Amino acid sequence: MNLAWHRVDLSLRHLFRISRSAVATTPTVQVTFSHDGITGHGEASPSKRYGQSPESVESALAKLDLAAALADPYRLEDLDAYLIETIPAEPAARAAVEMAVTDWIGRSLGQPQWRLWGLDPGRAPVTSFTIAIDSPDAMAERVREADAYAVLKIKLGGPDDRGVIEAIRRVTDKPIRVDANEGWSREQAVREIEWLAGQGVEFVEQPLPAGDLDGTRWVHERSALPLYADENAGTSADLPALVGAFDGINIKLMKCGGLREALRMTHTARALGLKLMIGCMIESSVAITAAAQLTPLLDHADLDGNLLVTNDPYRGVTLDATGRLVLPTTPGLGVYPLAHHQPL
Amino acid sequence: MNLAWHRVDLSLRHLFRISRSAVATTPTVQVTFSHDGITGHGEASPSKRYGQSPESVESALAKLDLAAALADPYRLEDLDAYLIETIPAEPAARAAVEMAVTDWIGRSLGQPQWRLWGLDPGRAPVTSFTIAIDSPDAMAERVREADAYAVLKIKLGGPDDRGVIEAIRRVTDKPIRVDANEGWSREQAVREIEWLAGQGVEFVEQPLPAGDLDGTRWVHERSALPLYADENAGTSADLPALVGAFDGINIKLMKCGGLREALRMTHTARALGLKLMIGCMIESSVAITAAAQLTPLLDHADLDGNLLVTNDPYRGVTLDATGRLVLPTTPGLGVYPLAHHQPL
């Protein structure tokens, strides 16, 4: 069993600003798992918010000895336990390894991942397309460019949130989802959400800092819109506490550590009566396609990380004319490297 | 796609009495799913406690049109939704159909189910062996016959519970699990559990009627032993309410409606901090082996239904010398009909 990796810096089409930061490129670590003549692909997109970097990912990967840990590559439950024990603070690295081994298994069985999970690819939802924080005029221009997407996700928490929404509403009446990325105070959240409810907004993601779950409960009681947890919903163990504070959760592979935990979160959230979406970081088609495999089980998708970059080295999931995710029919995750990039 | 079934009455080695009833035979409905030259096996063991009978199972099965409902046998998520919509009150029939299709998929992929779930069969636990209610002397005699099993499950809720445990303790010091099958009142439960805690009992299953969850909470605060939910733990949606009343749950395929829901319950219970066991009805090796496939993920198993009968028409999971479940290495569920029974 051979694990290999290399860094790929993804270049963003436009400067990407959220309430915390702004970036022009995003570092990723592309991972391959090879065994018995088959190669599976995975990807880590480390998050500063969670204390990770490409260096911390590469250092975590260097600690692993899969051949010693796994009697059989199919033993994903043992793999998960080994990764959590060995590199607990590196969920993006863990997600990348599990993704590559999962891809390997699907390829070795000759079946797409969605089929192995018992899913109907026709149930994959549309993906929202993210408009990062900018001036109202620049954001409205981004919305015009996003003609192909049926639902928009607007990053708020900037200096002129209402101006942004008004500028966007002048150019489109598409459904909007709003992501505050922990950027509001309690009173501000209630006030902004009340105003947003009159603007064709579907739901609001993570209005308050994750540390203020009591405050989120307070906001939830007064909220005219459903609230979705992002930073508050790391893994399945976080979910029971969210009942009464949020209406749904946003799963991300780079937060929860992989597809298997994403499935655990899905089952747990359903039992708790929470709605489900899956989101992403800035990622290539590898991690986006991995996340897309799960979407027939979910209510919403926000899988546009690969659409925001200009140098995606892979192809995988695509979109149809209505912005719906089209899952690959090829084995495993269904991703392949583009020919003009270095062979993987 | 062809679904077929026939009734098999399983004969019990000994009269089987629990707090509610006593039986000498148990009716089951054996199901097969055939498609593309491959046949998968499933089984329903209907429960009177939940208003089912072999007739209600057969009538439910006759309502199904799998070829119309399923574009592809792999679409287990669609199958689940179809079964819940079409035969909602027949979880045993639903479990049987899903089991047969799951077996079919594993056979078509040439892989054992545990491997498709990413599990290590070496993590399968010992199974407990059930001693049904009888006179203390007769129960002690059953314990002597159960020499091959490492853990005993004792059905209580009869007229002389303490006499039973004392008689058993005279012949063995094996770990004991106690199942009250809803047979106690609140005060009685606290009193009996306190006494049982001094008798080498590991945990107590379902002390109070399922309808008295508040009472179970009250008992739980005063309980010297962990409490496991059986009748209170039907499906994953039941589990959030059990926190603070129980320490663990007993999954049964015939209650929850199938392997997929059993996996949902597993993930949900883990997120809620509940321990996990999987149990059974009186069943042949088909349903017992199906349940056994999941045990590497669980804390305990009580999968002895097939060991209590004299005319099991199948073989599947076996036990090693220590009473541990040995999962089949053959594709699918790994069950096969015995030659001297009618061909399936």
Side-chain angles (χ1 to χ4, degrees):
Chain A
M1 299 184 197
N2 184 49
L3 196 67
W5 58 88
H6 68 279
R7 180 166 162 171
V8 171
D9 289 341
L10 299 176
S11 303
L12 286 150
R13 208 174 294 279
H14 303 291
L15 191 70
F16 193 81
R17 186 183 285 122
I18 67 170
S19 67
R20 284 186 293 269
S21 59
V23 292
T25 67
T26 285
T28 67
V29 179
Q30 303 293 329
V31 173
T32 57
F33 172 77
S34 303
H35 179 60
D36 272 356
I38 295 173
T39 294
H41 296 274
E43 175 182 20
S45 179
S47 166
K48 269 189 213 168
R49 162 74 172 76
Y50 297 102
Q52 297 150 47
S53 65
E55 292 75 23
S56 76
V57 168
E58 294 192 287
S59 152
L61 295 172
K63 286 184 191 152
L64 302 176
D65 182 355
L66 294 192
L70 286 184
D72 171 5
Y74 280 73
R75 298 216 181 145
L76 290 172
E77 193 73 12
D78 287 351
L79 176 63
D80 264 18
Y82 171 69
L83 293 174
I84 284 183
E85 193 190 320
T86 315
I87 51 174
E90 296 291 336
R94 287 192 271 121
V97 174
E98 193 221 43
M99 207 180 289
V101 177
T102 300
D103 188 31
W104 184 95
I105 294 168
R107 288 173 191 257
S108 87
L109 290 170
Q111 298 291 338
Q113 187 56 41
W114 51 261
R115 198 169 190 230
L116 292 173
W117 277 335
L119 306 181
D120 173 4
R123 294 185 189 277
V126 298
T127 180
S128 54
F129 182 81
T130 300
I131 309 292
I133 292 175
D134 208 326
S135 67
D137 282 354
M139 289 180 79
E141 176 57 29
R142 294 292 94 79
V143 168
R144 262 185 234 106
E145 291 170 15
D147 195 44
Y149 311 107
V151 183
L152 301 176
K153 173 162 162 176
I154 312 295
K155 297 279 192 180
L156 293 184
D160 183 16
D161 287 348
R162 294 194 187 190
V164 162
I165 298 292
E166 283 167 346
I168 289 171
R169 274 293 170 241
R170 279 195 288 275
V171 292
T172 184
D173 59 358
K174 284 178 185 172
I176 285 178
R177 298 165 190 166
V178 157
D179 186 357
N181 277 114
E182 313 183 281
W184 290 334
S185 66
R186 297 180 182 194
E187 292 75 12
Q188 184 186 14
V190 172
R191 212 165 50 229
E192 293 305 307
I193 291 168
E194 192 174 329
W195 183 81
L196 288 167
Q199 301 292 322
V201 169
E202 287 188 311
F203 57 76
V204 172
E205 204 175 320
Q206 196 69 38
L208 304 195
D212 193 13
L213 192 54
D214 284 345
T216 308
R217 244 169 248 285
W218 186 88
V219 171
H220 187 253
E221 280 171 26
R222 291 154 181 82
S223 177
L225 292 174
L227 304 183
Y228 277 61
D230 179 1
E231 287 82 351
N232 268 114
T235 70
S236 52
D238 297 330
L239 304 188
L242 305 189
V243 175
F246 291 98
D247 303 281
I249 64 164
N250 186 356
I251 297 172
K252 289 179 182 166
L253 299 179
M254 301 301 152
K255 271 191 305 182
C256 74
L259 290 162
R260 216 162 162 85
E261 178 61 19
L263 196 62
R264 289 184 201 111
M265 293 179 79
T266 300
H267 293 157
T268 304
R270 287 283 179 229
L272 292 166
L274 294 166
K275 292 276 192 178
L276 281 151
M277 71 183 293
I278 192 162
C280 59
M281 308 297 185
I282 308 291
E283 296 163 358
S284 82
S285 282
V286 173
I288 294 294
T289 304
Q293 297 283 340
L294 198 65
T295 57
L297 276 180
L298 310 179
D299 301 299
H300 315 289
D302 178 38
L303 294 176
D304 63 346
N306 57 338
L307 306 172
L308 305 173
V309 307
T310 55
N311 62 335
D312 186 351
Y314 289 86
R315 284 297 174 273
V317 65
T318 56
L319 300 180
D320 73 8
T322 68
R324 199 176 60 79
L325 295 159
V326 179
L327 303 187
T329 55
T330 44
L333 300 179
V335 296
Y336 60 94
L338 291 180
H340 59 277
H341 283 79
Q342 64 185 102
L344 296 173
Chain B
M1 299 184 196
N2 184 51
L3 196 68
W5 58 89
H6 68 280
R7 180 168 161 169
V8 172
D9 289 341
L10 298 177
S11 303
L12 286 150
R13 207 175 296 277
H14 303 290
L15 190 70
F16 192 81
R17 187 182 285 121
I18 66 169
S19 67
R20 285 186 294 267
S21 59
V23 293
T25 67
T26 286
T28 66
V29 180
Q30 303 293 329
V31 173
T32 56
F33 172 77
S34 303
H35 179 59
D36 272 356
I38 295 173
T39 294
H41 296 273
E43 176 182 21
S45 179
S47 165
K48 269 190 211 167
R49 164 71 173 79
Y50 297 102
Q52 298 151 47
S53 66
E55 292 75 23
S56 75
V57 167
E58 295 192 287
S59 153
L61 296 173
K63 285 184 191 153
L64 301 177
D65 183 354
L66 294 192
L70 286 184
D72 171 6
Y74 281 72
R75 298 219 181 143
L76 290 172
E77 193 72 13
D78 287 351
L79 176 64
D80 263 18
Y82 171 71
L83 292 173
I84 284 184
E85 193 190 320
T86 315
I87 51 173
E90 295 291 337
R94 287 191 271 121
V97 175
E98 194 222 42
M99 208 181 289
V101 178
T102 301
D103 188 32
W104 183 94
I105 293 169
R107 288 172 191 258
S108 87
L109 289 171
Q111 299 291 338
Q113 187 56 40
W114 51 261
R115 198 170 189 230
L116 292 173
W117 276 335
L119 306 180
D120 172 3
R123 295 186 189 276
V126 299
T127 179
S128 54
F129 182 81
T130 300
I131 309 293
I133 291 176
D134 207 327
S135 67
D137 283 354
M139 289 180 78
E141 175 58 27
R142 293 294 93 78
V143 168
R144 263 184 233 107
E145 291 169 15
D147 194 45
Y149 312 106
V151 183
L152 301 175
K153 174 163 161 175
I154 312 296
K155 296 280 192 181
L156 293 184
D160 183 16
D161 286 347
R162 294 194 187 190
V164 162
I165 297 292
E166 283 166 346
I168 289 171
R169 274 296 170 238
R170 279 194 288 274
V171 292
T172 183
D173 58 0
K174 285 179 185 172
I176 285 177
R177 299 165 189 167
V178 156
D179 186 358
N181 278 115
E182 312 184 279
W184 289 334
S185 67
R186 297 180 183 195
E187 291 75 11
Q188 185 186 13
V190 172
R191 213 164 50 230
E192 293 305 308
I193 291 169
E194 192 174 329
W195 183 82
L196 288 167
Q199 301 292 320
V201 170
E202 286 188 310
F203 57 77
V204 173
E205 205 175 321
Q206 196 68 40
L208 304 195
D212 193 12
L213 192 53
D214 284 344
T216 308
R217 244 169 248 285
W218 185 88
V219 171
H220 187 254
E221 281 170 27
R222 291 156 182 80
S223 177
L225 291 174
L227 304 182
Y228 276 60
D230 178 2
E231 287 82 349
N232 267 114
T235 70
S236 52
D238 297 331
L239 304 189
L242 305 189
V243 175
F246 290 98
D247 303 282
I249 64 165
N250 186 355
I251 297 172
K252 288 179 182 167
L253 298 179
M254 301 302 154
K255 272 190 306 182
C256 74
L259 291 162
R260 214 162 164 87
E261 179 60 19
L263 197 61
R264 289 186 201 109
M265 293 179 78
T266 301
H267 293 158
T268 303
R270 287 283 180 228
L272 292 166
L274 294 166
K275 291 275 192 180
L276 282 151
M277 71 183 293
I278 192 161
C280 59
M281 308 296 185
I282 308 292
E283 297 164 359
S284 82
S285 283
V286 172
I288 294 294
T289 305
Q293 297 283 339
L294 199 64
T295 57
L297 276 180
L298 310 179
D299 301 300
H300 315 288
D302 178 39
L303 294 177
D304 63 346
N306 57 337
L307 306 172
L308 305 172
V309 308
T310 55
N311 63 335
D312 185 351
Y314 290 86
R315 284 297 176 272
V317 65
T318 57
L319 300 181
D320 71 11
T322 68
R324 199 176 59 82
L325 295 159
V326 180
L327 303 187
T329 55
T330 44
L333 300 179
V335 296
Y336 60 94
L338 291 179
H340 60 274
H341 283 81
Q342 64 186 102
L344 297 173

